[in-house]
Amino acid sequence: MSQFKLNNQYKAIVIGGSAGSFQVISKILSNLPKDFELPIIMCLHRLKHVRHGFVEALNIKSNISLYEPEDKDSIKKGKIYLAPANYHLCIELGNHFSLSTEEMVNNSRPSIDITLETAAYVYKNKLIGILLTGANKDGAMGMKKIKDRGGLTIVQEPSECMIDTMPVAAIKLTQIDHVLTVSQIIAFLQELDKVYKQST
Amino acid sequence: MQEIEIAELRKLTEVIKEKYNYDFSNYAMSSFKRRIQRILEMYKLASVDVLIKKLTEEPRFFKEFVSEVTVNVTEMFRDPSFWRELRDHILPNIMLNHNNISIWHAGCSSGEEVFSMAIVLKEMGILDKTKIVATDIDTDILQKARSGVYSMKNMELNQKNYLRFQGTTTLEKYYKEENGKAIMDKSLVEHVSFREHNLVASMAFSKFDLILCRNVMIYFNQALQNNVLKMFHESLFKYGYLIVGSKESLIWCEIANKFIVANNEEKIYKKIKD
Ligand SMILES: C[S@@+](CC[C@H](N)C(=O)[O-])C[C@H]1O[C@@H](n2cnc3c(N)ncnc32)[C@H](O)[C@@H]1O
């Protein structure tokens, strides 16, 4: 049945999203198996000065509880991480995070480009990048870096997006592997999980 | 532009250590790399090698380099709930047993954190009982802290933070506006000593009741964090407090057992063992 030709080489999934992505993420999270095999690192644009509420709101529907990492926390299998408010979330060699209060990138902190680029650098072809609906170009460059380093790239089908600027910018900048609707993204992740479970 | 290689960064930090005795080799790699990338773009340098050459040949450029390689982004009353906790619990607790308070802001950047502290102390009526030392590695940013002049654009956010902190008045009371700049009331920092100080490989130089080191160690790797935390431990009186950024933690470090968590949400730790 698979259109994706999946294997179990991947070490992590990064997801970026902005305007309109809350519902999309919620839907994806409520359809993931509880024991999903890979770490998922999410960078979503959010209010800079509201520290609380976002992770709690996403947790209501999610099968796996989300966690806002602290500086130098290690990245573990089966966990879902969310970039905290007002910090860039970077992935370091040695499989851990670091945080930064650097200048905003694309008017954003956290910036999706930073999370995606640092993940691409560390995981190379063992990374899957997913970019969802959004009203800004943040994330497009990060998707290009993932592609350039051999990772797998997926964007949400623009016609289905609340605002399609973000996936369209990524499609323009690089050769995206799969343009998928939210239901297809969910199917992709479920199938990926099965591949991992069958091989262990 | 070419992606910077780790080997190039190693070479760079070695040269800097050799020539200037500043050690950046234990800075967190991903942000350090971006800072170097940014410096190459800013000064239109073609490669890390060209930067190394410039650093070797122009000692005066090194100061600028330090300024640009460090991240100075800061706010007044960043994390308002933390400042409330400080005012309502931590400072009163210190005052129970002390007539005077000594405070160290390590990595104070352009001084917003120091002015916030001075305002809190003033509103509590204990500013004149406080001795504050504020340090940073970056001499240019320290100059800005001393001058206490900020762009009005930034004051918008500072005011919002102050409102959420719920101070006794409005932030406007503490500055006057001139040509689009906010000029802070200098009497607030009359007794603050702003000094250049590098946290890397440094020894304790005094003892304090309260040390704030917020959003500074996130730029270090864990080995360096460990060393700096040991030095902070030595620099605190017993039962003194160490406060780190809202997304940092002490629980993993070597000297964690010499502290207790006074407030986990606001990352306030209390030294309980020498
Ligand atoms: C992001 S600012 C933090 C400012 C303030 N504490 C806050 O939380 O808003 C980080 C500061 O740490 C300083 N810094 C970086 N490395 C340092 C070192 N080795 N020693 C002392 N200060 C350092 C930088 O110059 C910068 O001003």
Side-chain angles (χ1 to χ4, degrees):
Chain A
M1 78 168 240
S2 177
Q3 47 162 325
F4 303 120
K5 297 199 211 80
L6 289 168
N7 61 50
N8 65 348
Q9 71 173 5
Y10 300 105
K11 289 248 180 334
I13 299 170
V14 275
I15 302 182
S18 184
S21 67
F22 184 87
Q23 274 81 9
V24 176
I25 289 283
S26 239
K27 192 164 168 204
I28 293 174
L29 295 179
S30 63
N31 283 291
L32 285 184
K34 269 196 192 54
D35 54 352
F36 190 75
E37 295 279 337
L38 288 173
I40 300 179
I41 302 162
M42 299 199 304
C43 182
L44 308 178
H45 289 162
R46 52 188 294 183
L47 291 172
K48 251 169 61 195
H49 291 90
V50 182
R51 244 160 75 183
H52 299 289
F54 199 49
V55 99
E56 291 81 352
L58 282 171
N59 267 336
I60 295 174
K61 290 259 184 73
S62 179
N63 289 333
I64 309 168
S65 58
L66 283 80
Y67 172 73
E68 291 181 356
E70 289 184 342
D71 183 56
K72 306 298 174 312
D73 273 349
S74 53
I75 299 167
K76 297 203 178 104
K77 193 182 137 175
K79 289 249 187 307
I80 304 184
Y81 302 96
L82 177 71
N86 212 8
Y87 286 93
H88 295 300
L89 180 65
C90 320
I91 289 85
E92 298 278 341
L93 290 166
N95 222 26
H96 60 268
F97 293 108
S98 69
L99 296 170
S100 159
T101 61
E102 275 159 81
E103 294 78 4
M104 292 195 274
V105 172
N106 307 316
N107 263 313
S108 318
R109 187 172 55 228
S111 148
I112 301 168
D113 271 345
I114 289 194
T115 302
L116 266 47
E117 285 174 21
T118 55
Y121 185 75
V122 169
Y123 295 116
K124 305 182 186 70
N125 62 340
K126 301 188 167 56
L127 180 69
I128 298 171
I130 304 178
L131 195 62
L132 305 171
T133 163
N136 150 325
K137 290 191 163 52
D138 193 22
M141 186 48 87
M143 291 298 272
K144 178 170 162 43
K145 291 273 166 78
I146 294 176
K147 183 71 196 171
D148 291 350
R149 291 199 142 243
L152 185 75
T153 50
I154 297 173
V155 298
Q156 187 181 354
E157 164 62 48
S159 65
E160 194 201 63
C161 289
M162 191 161 107
I163 302 174
D164 66 7
T165 316
M166 215 149 83
V168 167
I171 292 170
K172 276 198 188 130
L173 204 58
T174 189
Q175 182 74 42
I176 295 294
D177 295 297
H178 303 293
V179 177
L180 305 178
T181 63
V182 177
S183 317
Q184 288 170 321
I185 292 175
I186 291 169
F188 170 90
L189 293 171
Q190 289 171 341
E191 203 177 299
L192 181 72
D193 186 62
K194 276 196 201 119
V195 171
Y196 275 75
K197 292 204 162 99
Q198 276 158 13
S199 63
T200 48
Chain B
M1 194 180 265
Q2 257 318 90
E3 176 113 32
I4 296 174
E5 303 285 335
I6 293 186
E8 295 178 284
L9 294 178
R10 288 229 177 86
K11 196 166 148 202
L12 173 69
T13 54
E14 263 163 40
V15 170
I16 293 173
K17 196 171 172 196
E18 175 99 346
K19 186 159 169 73
Y20 298 102
N21 201 23
Y22 276 63
D23 186 358
F24 290 105
S25 63
N26 286 311
Y27 273 52
M29 191 57 83
S30 76
S31 55
F32 187 71
K33 190 167 101 186
R34 272 195 307 283
R35 290 323 262 181
I36 299 302
Q37 187 84 54
R38 184 169 164 273
I39 289 174
L40 295 185
E41 281 160 22
M42 270 177 78
Y43 293 92
K44 304 205 164 43
L45 307 173
S47 67
V48 175
D49 274 333
V50 179
L51 172 64
I52 292 177
K53 187 151 177 280
K54 191 172 167 70
L55 280 167
T56 350
E57 288 169 3
E58 299 173 39
R60 277 176 51 213
F61 174 64
F62 180 64
K63 217 178 99 160
E64 261 177 76
F65 173 85
V66 171
S67 231
E68 295 303 338
V69 88
T70 51
V71 174
N72 300 128
V73 178
T74 184
E75 304 166 10
M76 286 184 196
F77 294 96
R78 177 181 214 147
D79 306 314
S81 58
F82 154 70
W83 292 96
R84 277 202 303 273
E85 175 67 16
L86 189 71
R87 172 193 61 196
D88 298 341
H89 298 110
I90 306 301
L91 289 168
N93 211 317
I94 298 175
M95 287 309 283
L96 275 182
N97 308 306
H98 293 70
N99 291 320
N100 299 293
I101 306 186
S102 54
I103 301 174
W104 178 15
H105 292 266
C108 65
S109 191
S110 40
E112 281 86 339
E113 189 182 87
V114 183
F115 276 99
S116 312
M117 180 66 84
I119 289 170
V120 171
L121 294 162
K122 178 150 188 167
E123 294 186 357
M124 294 175 72
I126 54 174
L127 182 57
D128 53 356
K129 293 181 177 167
T130 317
K131 199 191 91 205
I132 297 180
V133 179
T135 64
D136 204 283
I137 190 178
D138 175 354
T139 49
D140 287 350
I141 209 73
L142 274 174
Q143 207 41 49
K144 190 167 174 203
R146 279 189 201 101
S147 77
V149 178
Y150 302 112
S151 85
M152 278 309 291
K153 209 176 102 234
N154 291 356
M155 291 316 274
E156 225 174 281
L157 169 60
N158 294 337
Q159 280 166 4
K160 269 193 207 148
N161 285 348
Y162 179 86
L163 277 177
R164 289 171 50 218
F165 157 70
Q166 297 162 344
T168 56
T169 167
T170 57
L171 193 59
E172 283 91 336
K173 207 189 127 200
Y174 300 104
Y175 64 85
K176 57 179 196 300
E177 194 180 333
E178 255 173 44
N179 307 322
K181 302 270 182 200
I183 308 194
M184 297 301 296
D185 175 354
K186 281 290 180 45
S187 71
L188 287 168
V189 292
E190 225 167 28
H191 300 293
V192 177
S193 157
F194 289 99
R195 293 185 215 163
E196 181 185 350
H197 178 269
N198 185 354
L199 289 165
V200 178
S202 68
M203 313 273 236
F205 59 88
S206 186
K207 288 232 172 195
F208 299 92
D209 300 302
L210 185 61
I211 298 176
L212 281 85
C213 186
R214 311 187 73 216
N215 305 303
V216 178
M217 286 185 284
I218 52 177
Y219 300 103
F220 301 167
N221 69 17
Q222 279 192 312
L224 179 55
Q225 289 183 352
N226 246 322
N227 292 341
V228 174
L229 287 168
K230 270 186 219 156
M231 187 269 299
F232 283 149
H233 172 260
E234 273 174 51
S235 309
L236 275 176
F237 291 116
K238 199 171 176 184
Y239 306 123
Y241 294 91
L242 173 61
I243 297 154
V244 293
S246 65
K247 283 281 152 192
E248 298 165 62
S249 159
L250 241 64
I251 44 167
W252 59 271
C253 75
E254 282 172 27
I255 46 147
N257 66 335
K258 299 184 178 196
F259 287 91
I260 54 165
V261 181
N263 184 312
N264 190 41
E265 181 61 29
E266 308 299 348
K267 306 300 179 202
I268 305 175
Y269 301 88
K270 185 175 193 165
K271 170 171 167 174
I272 48 154
K273 275 190 220 155
D274 277 321

